[in-house]
Amino acid sequence: MNDLPNHFREILLGVGEDPQREGLLDTPKRAAKAMQYLCNGYDKSIEEVVNGALFASDNDEMVIVRDIELYSLCEHHMLPFIGKAHVAYIPTGKVLGLSKVARIVDMYARRLQIQENLTRQIAEAIQEVTQAAGVAVVIEAKHMCMMMRGVEKQNSLMNTSVMLGAFRESCTTRMEFLQLIGGNR
């Protein structure tokens, strides 16, 4: 068994708490279990997540999965950032099982991250798996490190995007994607 519970006990002591206080007796174990869950993306590989769910298709039009909830931890403060990802790709003979797009987002989000890298990792993984003509990923998220500490800005929202292939090369393709994810808002 790992030593995470003892480290959380030390954190409690470090902030001036008594780990023997009734309400905190099981906190080190619970916090360790929660941290392991929140970082379980390290235990997964793209091959395991996709699990062969690539299917032959004649479709060569844009496929979009919008509003995929994501929860991650900022690697600088280990505080949550919460938001949604919009993922699109243009198939070239193969489509990815729908749930696999969300699972790829989760795999990378469940690691200590910065949003900029998370966006790129998702895009590159979708590109690698599908060999698509293009991949686009936009993430919009609220960061607790900006809301709970530091500048304490409650309504700030960070947007990041990565455009690969046709989405980078064609302004028309990129604009179609951005309009489709921006509608109904």
Side-chain angles (χ1 to χ4, degrees):
M1 175 135 185
N2 69 43
D3 209 25
L4 269 180
N6 289 330
H7 294 299
F8 278 106
R9 185 180 183 284
E10 291 300 315
I11 290 170
L12 289 172
L13 289 168
V15 298
E17 262 295 354
D18 174 10
Q20 296 305 310
R21 182 165 65 79
E22 180 183 4
L24 297 177
L25 284 174
D26 291 329
T27 297
K29 284 189 288 187
R30 287 191 303 263
K33 189 175 179 181
M35 185 59 73
Q36 287 172 321
Y37 178 79
L38 294 172
C39 293
N40 69 18
Y42 293 113
D43 299 331
K44 298 175 180 166
S45 71
I46 194 69
E47 296 79 20
E48 291 170 328
V49 168
V50 172
N51 194 26
L54 271 173
F55 307 101
S57 174
D58 292 335
N59 180 40
D60 62 356
E61 297 292 328
M62 192 181 304
V63 174
I64 301 175
V65 184
R66 248 179 66 170
D67 298 326
I68 303 166
E69 302 99 12
L70 68 85
Y71 310 92
S72 193
L73 293 175
C74 151
E75 68 185 36
H76 300 137
H77 304 99
M78 294 178 63
L79 290 172
F81 62 94
I82 300 165
K84 52 190 166 183
H86 313 290
V87 178
Y89 67 99
I90 300 172
T92 56
K94 293 183 261 179
V95 293
L96 184 59
L98 177 60
S99 72
K100 302 308 181 183
V101 175
R103 291 181 193 281
I104 290 169
V105 170
D106 285 346
M107 180 183 81
Y108 289 108
R110 295 295 185 171
R111 299 175 182 188
L112 298 178
Q113 282 287 7
I114 61 173
Q115 185 174 327
E116 299 90 334
N117 291 348
L118 174 60
T119 310
R120 176 153 302 281
Q121 290 166 353
I122 294 165
E124 289 176 350
I126 299 285
Q127 177 66 49
E128 177 187 329
V129 167
T130 63
Q131 298 298 302
V135 175
V137 177
V138 169
I139 294 178
E140 45 193 79
K142 289 188 169 236
H143 291 250
M144 295 301 132
C145 58
M146 286 253 320
M147 297 170 71
M148 295 176 68
R149 55 160 301 284
V151 297
E152 296 184 30
K153 298 301 176 205
Q154 303 307 305
N155 297 307
S156 62
L157 186 68
M158 181 176 184
N159 286 300
T160 52
S161 69
V162 170
M163 307 288 166
L164 304 176
F167 290 96
R168 181 181 273 294
E169 297 156 8
S170 169
C171 183
T172 304
T173 303
R174 182 172 45 256
M175 291 310 298
E176 178 184 352
F177 166 66
L178 293 172
Q179 286 174 344
L180 287 168
I181 67 168
N184 304 341
R185 291 188 197 279

